[in-house]
Amino acid sequence: MYDIAIIGAGIAGSYIARELSRYQLDIVLLDGENDVGNQITMANSAIIHAGFDAPSYKLKGKFNAVGNIMYEKVCDDLDVPFKRCGSLVVAHDEYEMATIHELYQNGLKNGVPGLRILFREEVHAMEPNLNEDICGALYAPSAGIVSPFELCANVAENAIDNGVTLKLNHMVTAIDKDDDCFKITTSAGNIEAKFVINAAGLFADDIYALVGDPYFKLLARKGNYFIFDKDAGSLVNNVIFPCPSKNGKGILVSPTVHGNLLIGPDAAPVEKGDISTTGDRLDYIKANALKNCPTLPFKKIIRSYAGLRNTPVADTYTTTDGDFILEESPVKGFINVAGYESPGLSSIPAVAHYVVEEIVKPLIPDIEVNHDFNPKIRPHVRFTELSDEERAEIIKKDPKYGKVICRCETITEGEILDVIHRNAGARTVKSVKKRCRAGMGRCQGGFCSPRVVEILARELNCSLDEIMYDQQDSAYILAGETKSAKEEA
Amino acid sequence: MIYDIVILGGGPAGLSAAVQAKKDGVENILILERDRELGGILNQCIHNGFGLHTFNEELTGPEYAARYIKQVVDLGIPYLLDTMVLDMTDHGETKIIHVINEESGYMTIETRSAILTMGCRERTSGAIGIPGYRPSGVFTAGTAQRFINMEGYMPGKEVVILGSGDIGLIMARRMTLEGAHVNAVCELMPYSNGLVRNIVQCLNDYDIPLKLSHTITFIHGKDRIEGVTVAQVDDKLKVIPGTDEFIPCDTLLLSVGLIPENEITVNAGVEMDNRTNGSIVGELRQTTMPGVFACGNVVHVHDLVDFVSEEAVLAGKGAAKYVKGTLDTNVTFTTANGDGIGYVVPQQVAMKNVEENVTFYMRVRQVFENKVVNAYIGDQLIATKKEKKLLPAEMVNFKIAKEVLEKYPAGEIRFVVEEAQK
């Protein structure tokens, strides 16, 4: 029997697993998908918000700025690309300037460092490609950009390094409570644990309903995004937010940590699991992004995608103020980490610490520190970031770093092999792409995907048609051998 | 050691350029190829139809490549395989090329002259932003071609193809021959973007419907593609409401255009032409950076490999002249695309380098019937090219004799589509 089972290996579940591994506990991290961080964590704005939006009385307000400040250390330990690029909330008129002043005051309450209100000239000096109408902005130097999928993969890897068991393709279908033990039925066998942490993202309400009377409900809200080629990556230096309205933060324009440009997201309620992009919504995003950034080069778009937020909503049996749900539920020993939407990614270092220290620890009085805990993962080789001398040296040590597989992003076979063979390693074409960017570039895997399929098949000792693009079994890439190949055989 | 010419790419353009430069007496030539063999994309083009203009016979892609590889080997031109060029930097008299491979690791190669022959890549579903899911089973036609012809695996069994580019048409036939069912080829434009012979031999002969003025408005299927919604578009390319049709499929192939791969070119500081997405070149394919030449699909997308080889001969000659110090750098003419013409290559002509004539390659913007392409310098009509039909898919080769051009001291040669003189 495990001490703790965590349901959901997105950023919340994976990060909490890693924080729990600082203690001597038997921990299992479960996910129904075939990779960690494969849903909400995978498709979002990738921004580490400064923390001036949420009111200070909410958990969102309490944890965002604190989580943000922890990011340098976190990304250093976990070897994740992170850049504190700053953000601007821009105003087009005096009404919007009034909102900017309110955000500034709220930011001060939340402890956001370095906030400043900028006037027209300063804004345009800082960001020459913004609309000339913009008359001022709230500047938050602490806002940052991160690679959320690398963060999730690396924090899961670190959790496993420190003793956590990861079980993918384990879809939870039933939970029974029996005295001091939770019996969890999954699509791949049963698991027992003394405590459960429900970090199932969009499905956290459904998971809780397996064990207790529902007291919260989650709504999927979809956001569409566009990614631009690296050619367009330097159009803005800061994350550019429009002035927020009652509909949310609005359409942002942001550099990405890998040097691309991103615009989005809209927000529309949808069925859980609907991550289809929508034609008219994409047009809406383009039109709104142009209001702040009139020279967006739409010809340079290399991908559009949609992601989901999990927003707590009121219904007949619940009331909500839309805050994170971080608590031991009415079912003793069952902890909910739910409604974990923006600024969830920004807050997670602080939230994980809170969940472990303030919620889990009081439940386990005899908890002992894991003195072998190592917060660092083995650093990645990122070939493009090496000097010429370092390149020569690494290829001499391992010739696989001399073979470029992804031309657009210059990703070598050595880097792909490394992400396959690490803990929480890549098993699909998409999971390779998330971890080391092979296929993320302008040709979108046109040239490298056959090579990546080949490498995965070789390393996992299976045939090419057994390699999946994404989800287990249903996202196959190849439909068997050709007639000619069979005849030759 | 300093090379005379280094060629970036061992596909048809690189091979032909190397052979020509060697024949013109250049000794120290090196070909750099990122793939595991010479021949470039021809290796996966196992259908025939290559070489009709060059060799007067129908060869498969690998056979066509083999003819040039044999010449490269016979002439003793060295090449490096599995070798990736990371960067090229200009140092005036020489260029430094930064490369890596497994065997030698990281190297810098110094050369007096470089010929850029990196080819092109396919436009992706991301670039055209089709709404819907992002499942597996959506391939560019060339990626599917590689899986089938090089790896021996089928991408799927029930196929829809978006775009009527030549690779898409070739793959419609190839997948049919391998036992798949191709439901339709949808083309946004009211005309095909492929060669007429490919429409006939790859679609009509196999009863595969070509839906002109049709596009895909939604991709269905969360994990693996399950179908597409196809709709008709009007003359402004906007979807006509009520024309939606669901076509079930497990595979969507895209053949929606090719883009020259010029990252090295741009980083090196070579001047580009946004009409071709290639570099600005002269009659011997010299770029605006002295000593750097470019030819083949990296300059502009060709529809026949024969013309790639032909253009590469010019680059080979040009680089040889440069190395020997006999390349003239005084530009006599520039070229311009007038009404009906999308682009013209070369963009510049230095008359002292011209032997007998200059061939101008260009594409028309739309389908024209019973029209001609006229070339003007100022108000003077200097040459006319007659074609029964002008199609955007078929590159126009407009040859103008040296004697005709020599009559003019300088100026702009403008190409326009006009009514034929009665």
Side-chain angles (χ1 to χ4, degrees):
Chain A
M1 180 158 65
Y2 290 99
D3 292 318
I4 301 176
I6 302 168
I7 301 172
I11 190 62
S14 300
Y15 208 114
I16 290 167
R18 185 253 192 171
E19 287 308 293
L20 282 169
S21 70
R22 292 174 186 272
Y23 295 97
Q24 293 184 31
L25 295 166
D26 273 338
I27 302 156
V28 65
L29 178 59
L30 303 172
D31 203 289
E33 301 263 327
N34 61 357
D35 193 14
V36 300
N38 217 29
Q39 291 206 359
I40 299 170
T41 303
M42 208 199 66
N44 52 66
S45 308
I47 290 165
I48 304 308
H49 296 283
F52 50 76
D53 309 84
S56 55
Y57 61 84
K58 284 193 182 182
L59 294 169
K60 286 181 177 177
K62 179 176 167 187
F63 289 121
N64 185 345
V66 185
N68 172 302
I69 291 161
M70 295 165 78
Y71 254 87
E72 263 94 7
K73 167 95 171 80
V74 164
C75 290
D76 184 50
D77 282 348
L78 297 173
D79 188 29
V80 175
F82 169 65
K83 192 177 168 200
R84 217 174 264 294
C85 60
S87 71
L88 294 176
V89 182
V90 297
H92 291 259
D93 54 39
E94 58 191 279
Y95 298 103
E96 292 191 341
M97 274 314 282
T99 310
I100 298 282
H101 280 275
E102 284 167 27
L103 288 173
Y104 173 76
Q105 291 302 333
N106 193 58
L108 293 183
K109 274 191 219 160
N110 287 354
V112 178
L115 280 180
R116 268 171 57 209
I117 290 177
L118 306 184
F119 296 101
R120 185 186 297 271
E121 294 71 25
E122 282 178 290
V123 175
H124 294 287
M126 199 182 252
E127 292 288 357
N129 293 316
L130 293 189
N131 191 334
E132 286 174 18
D133 297 353
I134 290 168
C135 59
L138 176 63
Y139 174 51
S142 64
I145 45 182
V146 75
S147 168
F149 11 89
E150 282 169 83
L151 176 63
C152 190
N154 295 5
V155 81
E157 174 184 335
N158 188 238
I160 300 170
D161 294 345
N162 287 303
V164 170
T165 304
L166 171 67
K167 288 182 185 285
L168 297 171
N169 301 310
H170 280 59
M171 181 74 79
V172 174
T173 55
I175 305 172
D176 293 302
K177 186 161 192 214
D178 178 9
D179 297 327
D180 291 334
C181 168
F182 290 95
K183 296 196 158 130
I184 304 168
T185 310
T186 81
S187 55
N190 299 338
I191 281 150
E192 294 185 352
K194 290 178 201 157
F195 301 95
V196 174
I197 298 175
N198 171 18
L202 199 45
F203 301 95
D205 52 353
D206 301 326
I207 291 291
Y208 185 68
L210 297 174
V211 72
D213 294 330
Y215 71 98
F216 62 92
K217 184 175 168 62
L218 300 175
L219 172 75
R221 286 191 309 136
K222 181 163 77 178
N224 288 280
Y225 293 89
F226 289 102
I227 297 280
F228 292 68
D229 196 319
K230 287 181 173 174
D231 290 9
S234 52
L235 198 71
V236 295
N237 306 306
N238 293 264
V239 180
I240 310 298
F241 295 102
C243 202
S245 69
K246 60 181 190 313
N247 298 323
K249 291 190 190 106
I251 305 299
L252 58 87
V253 178
S254 174
T256 75
V257 76
H258 293 113
N260 299 83
L261 185 79
L262 172 151
I263 63 172
D266 59 331
V270 291
E271 296 274 308
K272 286 180 184 181
D274 173 1
I275 49 162
S276 63
T277 60
T278 321
D280 61 335
R281 303 303 293 173
L282 291 174
D283 293 341
Y284 166 86
I285 288 169
K286 286 183 179 176
N288 276 279
L290 282 174
K291 286 181 191 167
N292 289 331
C293 204
T295 56
L296 282 168
F298 293 122
K299 268 174 85 175
K300 303 260 179 200
I301 288 171
I302 60 169
R303 187 154 183 100
S304 56
Y305 65 89
L308 299 176
R309 310 171 184 81
N310 58 133
T311 306
V313 286
D315 68 2
T316 49
Y317 52 86
T318 65
T319 56
T320 175
D321 58 358
D323 204 1
F324 297 152
I325 298 161
L326 310 172
E327 63 202 11
E328 187 182 13
S329 74
V331 178
K332 215 172 161 312
F334 194 99
I335 296 159
N336 283 321
V337 176
Y340 201 66
E341 60 172 350
S342 179
L345 183 64
S346 319
S347 310
I348 192 62
V351 163
H353 182 79
Y354 170 80
V355 169
V356 172
E357 299 298 320
E358 305 295 330
I359 304 176
V360 177
K361 245 172 106 175
L363 297 175
I364 312 174
D366 55 347
I367 198 165
E368 279 183 56
V369 170
N370 171 11
H371 292 290
D372 297 331
F373 177 81
N374 178 1
K376 288 184 177 287
I377 67 163
R378 180 169 54 81
H380 292 76
V381 172
R382 293 191 176 89
F383 188 80
T384 52
E385 292 172 13
L386 300 181
S387 68
D388 293 348
E389 294 73 28
E390 290 169 324
R391 286 175 176 179
E393 200 172 312
I394 188 83
I395 301 171
K396 209 181 284 174
K397 240 192 274 173
D398 183 352
K400 293 289 180 200
Y401 286 97
K403 188 167 185 178
V404 173
I405 300 295
C406 168
R407 301 173 185 181
C408 304
E409 297 291 311
T410 318
I411 307 301
T412 62
E413 184 166 354
E415 291 163 273
I416 294 173
L417 293 174
D418 184 39
V419 298
I420 294 172
H421 293 297
R422 282 170 177 268
N423 279 333
R427 292 291 174 271
T428 63
V429 170
K430 187 164 142 190
S431 59
V432 167
K433 175 177 166 182
K434 280 154 64 177
R435 283 164 178 78
C436 70
R437 295 187 62 72
M440 281 276 191
R442 43 178 73 98
C443 95
Q444 289 286 297
F447 286 116
C448 70
S449 64
R451 296 297 181 79
V452 173
V453 170
E454 241 177 84
I455 294 169
L456 277 165
R458 188 184 72 212
E459 296 303 309
L460 304 176
N461 203 12
C462 61
S463 66
L464 265 56
D465 54 351
E466 288 175 83
I467 298 301
M468 296 291 128
Y469 171 68
D470 188 10
Q471 264 80 358
Q472 196 72 0
D473 302 329
S474 49
Y476 66 92
I477 297 167
L478 299 172
E481 286 184 291
T482 56
K483 277 205 297 199
S484 336
K486 280 183 205 153
E487 278 159 22
E488 264 175 48
Chain B
M1 164 176 162
I2 299 175
Y3 282 94
D4 289 324
I5 303 175
V6 171
I7 297 169
L8 283 68
L15 295 171
S16 169
V19 166
Q20 186 60 45
K22 182 81 179 190
K23 284 181 180 165
D24 284 0
V26 178
E27 276 310 314
N28 289 320
I29 303 175
L30 175 66
I31 303 172
L32 302 172
E33 169 54 43
R34 57 190 160 193
D35 217 324
R36 46 197 151 199
E37 54 193 330
L38 292 175
I41 210 71
L42 284 173
N43 289 321
Q44 67 182 52
C45 302
I46 62 170
H47 53 283
N48 65 1
F50 298 92
L52 275 169
H53 294 255
T54 314
F55 300 112
N56 277 322
E57 49 183 316
E58 281 204 63
L59 305 173
T60 65
E63 283 168 351
Y64 185 94
R67 301 251 170 137
Y68 283 93
I69 294 170
K70 183 169 185 308
Q71 293 184 65
V72 164
V73 172
D74 290 349
L75 290 168
I77 302 170
Y79 55 87
L80 290 173
L81 301 177
D82 278 320
T83 300
M84 188 76 184
V85 174
L86 301 175
D87 205 8
M88 179 177 81
T89 48
D90 181 29
H91 302 267
E93 292 290 295
T94 64
K95 322 293 158 200
I96 299 209
I97 299 167
H98 303 252
V99 306
I100 57 165
N101 65 29
E102 288 181 270
E103 214 171 292
S104 314
Y106 171 82
M107 292 181 286
T108 53
I109 297 170
E110 191 169 9
T111 181
R112 291 189 177 86
S113 159
I115 305 180
L116 308 177
T117 57
M118 292 86 77
C120 59
R121 64 168 173 268
E122 298 177 278
R123 263 180 98 204
T124 68
S125 62
I128 61 173
I130 309 172
Y133 289 92
R134 300 288 173 262
S136 74
V138 181
F139 302 88
T140 55
T143 305
Q145 187 177 46
R146 185 180 172 103
F147 273 126
I148 295 176
N149 294 346
M150 307 288 279
E151 319 284 351
Y153 281 90
M154 287 296 278
K157 301 280 163 67
E158 281 292 329
V159 187
V160 171
I161 299 176
L162 176 62
S164 58
D166 288 307
I167 315 171
L169 302 176
I170 295 288
M171 288 312 293
R173 175 176 64 185
R174 183 82 186 110
M175 292 204 69
T176 306
L177 292 173
E178 286 290 350
H181 174 238
V182 180
N183 288 283
V185 175
C186 300
E187 170 57 56
L188 180 69
M189 305 306 287
Y191 51 83
S192 162
N193 270 309
L195 297 173
V196 172
R197 76 169 198 219
N198 283 337
I199 302 281
V200 173
Q201 294 171 9
C202 300
L203 299 189
N204 299 356
D205 288 359
Y206 296 88
D207 293 326
I208 298 168
L210 172 62
K211 288 170 171 283
L212 296 174
S213 296
H214 277 72
T215 191
I216 291 177
T217 57
F218 202 85
I219 295 175
H220 302 265
K222 271 183 205 170
D223 300 335
R224 176 78 189 194
I225 186 168
E226 289 163 9
V228 291
T229 302
V230 170
Q232 207 178 328
V233 298
D234 62 20
D235 52 8
K236 294 194 175 68
L237 307 183
K238 290 282 174 209
V239 169
I240 303 171
T243 59
D244 306 21
E245 177 196 1
F246 176 77
I247 303 180
C249 64
D250 65 13
T251 306
L252 171 62
L253 299 190
L254 297 174
S255 185
V256 290
L258 298 167
I259 304 165
E261 286 227 282
N262 273 303
E263 284 66 36
I264 293 166
T265 324
V266 172
N267 287 342
V270 173
E271 207 178 315
M272 302 295 291
D273 182 338
N274 61 16
R275 292 164 292 194
T276 53
N277 290 316
S279 50
I280 290 172
V281 291
E283 71 297 330
L284 292 179
R285 299 307 182 262
Q286 61 274 48
T287 69
T288 55
M289 182 176 283
V292 177
F293 296 75
C295 57
N297 284 345
V298 79
V299 174
H300 62 122
V301 176
H302 297 60
D303 33 56
L304 293 180
V305 70
D306 304 69
F307 299 138
V308 169
S309 301
E310 184 181 287
E311 185 174 87
V313 166
L314 298 174
K317 282 183 183 172
K321 276 178 179 269
Y322 176 84
V323 169
K324 292 179 194 158
T326 59
L327 184 75
D328 192 78
T329 56
N330 296 304
V331 172
T332 323
F333 299 109
T334 57
T335 63
N337 54 316
D339 287 351
I341 303 287
Y343 73 78
V344 181
V345 169
Q347 292 86 342
Q348 302 177 342
V349 180
M351 280 304 290
K352 282 198 180 150
N353 298 322
V354 173
E355 289 171 2
E356 287 162 17
N357 50 54
V358 181
T359 300
F360 296 91
Y361 296 131
M362 64 201 73
R363 278 183 198 275
V364 291
R365 290 184 189 276
Q366 64 187 77
V367 178
F368 294 105
E369 286 188 55
N370 302 315
K371 302 249 175 157
V372 297
V373 181
N374 283 329
Y376 291 91
I377 294 179
D379 304 337
Q380 286 291 312
L381 177 65
I382 62 160
T384 295
K385 169 99 179 169
K386 287 184 189 133
E387 295 276 357
K388 272 194 208 129
K389 205 169 182 183
L390 292 160
L391 302 167
E394 310 211 355
M395 197 169 79
V396 178
N397 293 24
F398 195 150
K399 197 179 278 186
I400 303 179
K402 188 180 182 181
E403 307 90 77
V404 173
L405 295 168
E406 272 176 341
K407 292 178 193 155
Y408 303 87
E412 182 185 80
I413 311 171
R414 194 163 45 90
F415 296 88
V416 289
V417 178
E418 289 181 326
E419 295 295 335
Q421 296 286 330
K422 294 280 152 59

